[in-house]
Amino acid sequence: KIMYKGYIDNNQIEIVCYEEGWILESICKSLSKKLKELNPILIIKITNKPSGREGIIYFHFYYQIAKPVHNSRNIFYVTHIDKYHKALKLIELSKYNGEFFCVSEETASYVNNLLRDGNVYAIKPWSLHLKQIKKEKNRKITFGMFFRIYSDRRKGNFYIEDFIRKIILKNKNNKLIIYGSGFEKILEPIDTKNIKYINKEFKRSEYINYLKKCDYVIYFGKDEGSYSILDSSYLGIKVITINQGFHKDIPFKKGSHLVNKQKEIIEIAQTLTK
């Protein structure tokens, strides 16, 4: 739908991945593959900055740091909009005849109401790493966190610390797998015998292996959603997470919990581990 809206007289596309590594780079590679399947004659280049050539199509990942090119089609990947300045950035980009694709109906509705220009699409996210895989049975309750912590604390740092104190440290039968980065300050002062922390370059096979070890994948962030939650859906792993963004649009294994408040995640985990 995005590709063939209006007349396109150029089959050249640049997918601009401004932040290499982790999930964004995987999304860019997956998009390139899907576009090639759609039309084999497309000339697609993945780059870390736009070339500036006019008259071609640019997919910008993601909107907050995008550098649109005049006299071209600029399509922006939109994730969470939780700050005033992020909404202003969308308004700025719309002046370039910008088009926006969002990974949830909720965000698309917000952007539509903000811009009112009709160039907004909601695209249900696809798993980047998985097809249906049978989950291994675990002997103990293992929780998983698969994300990175940022300085703006949007991932719910306080609740992560609270979860570790109340669920992991108080019950030695519980285990926690953390696959990401930025957890050093949280983990440094505590005994981490039943916590597995993987902080290194993202590897698909390793990521899937650790996901499969989890009974529950949890996510505290209030920022549209987490791809680990989407991948857990594909794997048939139960989740405990915020009812937000594309989490509302995908099915989950029976026994999963979507909540409105971050503290409810801890309360549910306490009930499960009594």
Side-chain angles (χ1 to χ4, degrees):
K1 182 179 178 182
I2 288 179
M3 282 299 304
Y4 293 103
K5 181 183 178 184
Y7 177 68
I8 300 175
D9 60 358
N10 197 315
N11 64 347
Q12 297 188 49
I13 297 172
E14 286 190 18
I15 299 175
V16 189
C17 183
Y18 294 94
E19 293 184 354
E20 296 178 335
W22 206 247
I23 295 298
L24 278 183
E25 187 171 358
S26 293
I27 295 173
C28 291
K29 290 178 180 178
S30 181
L31 175 62
S32 176
K33 181 180 178 181
K34 286 180 178 291
L35 290 175
K36 272 289 189 182
E37 291 171 357
L38 176 68
N39 187 346
I41 71 167
L42 291 174
I43 301 171
I44 302 172
K45 179 182 179 182
I46 299 177
T47 179
N48 60 5
K49 63 180 180 180
S51 66
R53 291 179 56 206
E54 297 184 354
I56 67 175
I57 301 170
Y58 292 91
F59 279 89
H60 300 271
F61 287 81
Y62 57 115
Y63 75 103
Q64 290 183 50
I65 50 180
K67 298 177 181 178
V69 179
H70 288 284
N71 300 319
S72 302
R73 280 192 71 188
N74 293 281
I75 304 171
F76 305 100
Y77 178 74
V78 180
T79 56
H80 58 291
I81 308 162
D82 57 351
K83 303 288 184 182
Y84 181 67
H85 70 86
K86 295 177 182 179
L88 289 178
K89 180 66 174 182
L90 288 171
I91 294 172
E92 176 191 337
L93 294 174
S94 69
K95 296 176 182 177
Y96 289 85
N97 257 342
E99 298 171 52
F100 306 88
F101 74 99
C102 313
V103 292
S104 74
E105 296 285 350
E106 182 179 52
T107 298
S109 176
Y110 176 86
V111 178
N112 258 321
N113 289 333
L114 180 68
L115 303 179
R116 299 188 181 279
D117 62 5
N119 289 327
V120 182
Y121 315 90
I123 301 176
K124 184 177 179 179
W126 61 91
S127 176
L128 302 175
H129 314 291
L130 301 165
K131 294 184 179 178
Q132 194 65 35
I133 302 174
K134 291 183 179 180
K135 176 182 176 294
E136 297 175 355
K137 293 183 179 179
N138 298 298
R139 295 179 180 177
K140 297 181 179 180
I141 297 180
T142 300
F143 297 93
M145 298 182 186
F146 295 80
F147 52 87
R148 297 188 289 185
I149 291 181
Y150 296 91
S151 58
D152 62 8
R153 303 180 71 84
R154 66 178 182 264
K155 300 298 183 180
N157 298 33
F158 169 79
Y159 295 98
I160 294 168
E161 294 173 17
D162 205 33
F163 180 90
I164 291 173
R165 286 196 304 269
K166 293 179 178 179
I167 307 302
I168 305 303
L169 299 184
K170 283 193 175 182
N171 189 336
K172 293 183 179 179
N173 288 325
N174 299 330
K175 291 186 177 181
L176 175 62
I177 296 172
I178 299 174
Y179 193 92
S181 62
F183 289 82
E184 289 79 10
K185 288 185 179 180
I186 293 176
L187 298 178
E188 190 176 50
I190 65 175
D191 181 358
T192 58
K193 289 181 181 178
N194 51 343
I195 299 175
K196 176 73 174 179
Y197 180 36
I198 305 96
N199 175 17
K200 54 185 178 180
E201 183 181 352
F202 181 88
K203 291 184 179 179
R204 175 185 178 276
S205 59
E206 188 175 60
Y207 164 74
I208 294 172
N209 181 55
Y210 282 116
L211 267 177
K212 290 171 60 181
K213 294 180 183 295
C214 297
D215 297 295
Y216 292 89
V217 172
I218 60 177
Y219 185 66
F220 292 96
K222 285 190 171 183
D223 55 357
E224 176 75 19
S226 168
Y227 263 83
S228 65
I229 297 299
L230 174 66
D231 290 336
S232 297
S233 170
Y234 274 70
L235 281 169
I237 299 171
K238 289 175 281 189
V239 305
I240 312 173
T241 188
I242 301 297
N243 189 25
Q244 63 178 330
F246 63 81
H247 293 176
K248 296 180 178 181
D249 305 329
I250 54 180
F252 292 109
K253 183 176 181 179
K254 185 177 179 180
S256 296
H257 300 270
L258 298 182
V259 303
N260 294 317
K261 296 181 180 179
Q262 292 157 309
K263 67 177 183 178
E264 294 177 61
I265 297 174
I266 298 171
E267 292 168 358
I268 291 169
Q270 286 176 316
T271 301
L272 291 169
T273 56
K274 281 182 179 178

